[in-house]
Amino acid sequence: MIVLSAIKRVPESIKKHIQHTFKEVDFLWCHGMQEAEQHLNKAEIFITYGEDLNDALIDKAKHLKWIMVLSAGMDRMPFAAIGERDILVTNVRGIHAQPMAEYALSMILQVARNAKVLYQREQEHAWDRSVPMAEISGSNMVLLGTGAIAQETARLAKAFNMKTIGVSRSGKSKPHFDEMCTVEEMHTVLPEADYVVAALPSTPETSYLLTKDHFALMPARSVFLNMGRGDLVESSVILEAVQQEEISHAVLDVFEQEPLPEDHPFWEEEKITITSHLSGISPQYVPRAFEVFERNMNAYLNNGEMENIIDTKRGY
């Protein structure tokens, strides 16, 4: 059995541990798809970030049975070709929870404590005690999505005495949420939202889910934060909501077009905070991802139950 990896810069300690754990398996560690492509025709298992796959590469992988994607986002995967071959796909859903939850709370605190203005005053050497300060304690956070990332965000929010309201397809109860509602009921909770935090994947069901009508329902004091996927809402809708003061601020880590063009109007908006799709970055990312792979590899070899299996028809 050959396991092929196209993950760049895998630490030697991880390689040695994996190879020692699965002595009966042959591992080929490649530095990216360009190097890995020549080995695809003999691999049974392929470890990848997913975005480097296409129909032609799937066609080359004649013996492929399982793709382990070291990412949670699956929107660039060639699922039609994968589904035709009935190839198993798993991912590392859940490992982003800690860094992304910390990102969300850090951004919310920066907005509440006016960090942009404080930094500007520092650069100006200006002693200014009139900069408005706010507290997040006692405020309401509406989370779009109730998966691992949203649950961890809600857990941290509870430490700040925030009320947490989760929005999901089913509306079923999940840990760390004070209230739950369905997507169809979202309009009933947006008017009480101080913070709207989106942690949704990109799927046909979530693509452009939010419209200008949703932003019109949000209080003028509310802050919108998107760390899920950029196709949740049109850029023009966010820009209009900020400029017309339907919301007080937007924090955006994901965009319809990435990288965000240098001439995009978002850059010039004082009440929009931009980060470069980095909310999930952490020095623990690769170690955590290979922990998921190790558990799934054990299950694969022993006919056990694997985790984070992806429905190739739905894309998640």
Side-chain angles (χ1 to χ4, degrees):
M1 178 189 300
I2 292 177
V3 177
L4 174 65
S5 170
I7 306 301
K8 297 180 179 180
R9 292 178 289 277
V10 179
E12 286 300 319
S13 58
I14 291 178
K15 292 180 184 178
K16 289 179 181 177
H17 171 75
I18 293 293
Q19 288 168 182
H20 177 76
T21 303
F22 304 105
K23 294 189 177 90
E24 71 277 28
V25 177
D26 293 321
F27 287 89
L28 293 175
W29 304 96
C30 295
H31 189 72
M33 180 59 80
Q34 189 172 357
E35 186 179 316
E37 184 176 351
Q38 62 184 311
H39 304 294
L40 270 173
N41 64 338
K42 54 190 175 184
E44 179 173 331
I45 300 167
F46 184 42
I47 308 172
T48 172
Y49 282 122
E51 60 189 22
D52 50 6
L53 278 173
N54 56 42
D55 291 358
L57 292 171
I58 295 297
D59 187 57
K60 283 185 178 182
K62 301 298 184 184
H63 302 287
L64 195 59
K65 294 182 179 179
W66 169 29
I67 302 172
M68 177 71 206
V69 183
L70 298 199
S71 172
M74 311 292 287
D75 42 303
R76 298 185 187 179
M77 292 278 287
F79 280 119
I82 292 169
E84 285 178 10
R85 294 267 305 280
D86 199 26
I87 298 170
L88 173 68
V89 179
T90 62
N91 73 353
V92 292
R93 183 175 61 244
I95 72 166
H96 302 82
Q98 287 177 257
M100 291 183 71
E102 290 183 10
Y103 167 89
L105 268 295
S106 73
M107 291 295 113
I108 286 170
L109 285 166
Q110 286 187 58
V111 173
R113 306 303 288 183
N114 237 326
K116 272 190 171 183
V117 176
L118 295 179
Y119 178 70
Q120 183 179 348
R121 296 293 182 271
E122 181 186 22
Q123 296 300 104
E124 297 168 348
H125 298 192
W127 184 270
D128 182 4
R129 300 187 72 232
S130 68
V131 179
M133 295 284 111
E135 296 181 5
I136 66 173
S137 179
S139 59
N140 298 326
M141 178 186 286
V142 173
L143 294 110
L144 309 183
T146 57
I149 294 166
Q151 287 175 34
E152 179 63 9
T153 303
R155 188 186 73 82
L156 295 185
K158 299 301 292 178
F160 289 91
N161 194 33
M162 300 176 80
K163 180 181 178 180
T164 55
I165 304 168
V167 180
S168 67
R169 281 189 306 139
S170 68
K172 291 181 180 178
S173 177
K174 292 288 182 70
H176 311 302
F177 291 100
D178 296 307
E179 295 180 12
M180 291 289 302
C181 72
T182 64
V183 172
E184 289 75 19
E185 298 167 330
M186 178 167 49
H187 66 280
T188 66
V189 297
L190 288 178
E192 58 183 292
D194 296 295
Y195 300 94
V196 178
V197 177
L200 289 166
S202 178
T203 70
E205 295 166 335
T206 62
S207 182
Y208 299 104
L209 174 67
L210 289 186
T211 68
K212 62 181 181 179
D213 292 338
H214 292 107
F215 283 87
L217 290 171
M218 300 177 195
R221 67 180 184 276
S222 65
V223 175
F224 173 68
L225 185 154
N226 188 7
M227 58 181 181
R229 281 294 182 265
D231 64 355
L232 176 69
V233 55
E234 291 181 7
S235 298
S236 59
V237 169
I238 300 172
L239 192 62
E240 183 179 316
V242 170
Q243 291 179 338
Q244 295 188 3
E245 298 185 347
E246 291 179 324
I247 61 174
S248 67
H249 204 99
V251 178
L252 307 173
D253 188 51
V254 290
F255 306 88
E256 287 182 287
Q257 181 182 352
E258 295 185 7
L260 188 67
E262 291 182 11
D263 60 351
H264 198 284
F266 279 169
W267 293 109
E268 302 301 322
E269 274 298 327
E270 182 183 351
K271 293 183 178 179
I272 293 180
T273 297
I274 293 169
T275 57
S276 306
H277 203 151
L278 47 69
S279 59
I281 291 177
S282 165
Q284 300 305 315
Y285 185 97
V286 171
R288 286 177 182 147
F290 273 96
E291 286 173 6
V292 177
F293 168 74
E294 183 177 345
R295 293 195 296 271
N296 269 345
M297 189 67 186
N298 269 313
Y300 183 84
L301 293 173
N302 295 289
N303 297 315
E305 185 175 348
M306 299 175 72
E307 59 187 85
N308 292 352
I309 294 176
I310 302 303
D311 183 338
T312 57
K313 292 181 180 178
R314 301 179 71 175
Y316 61 95

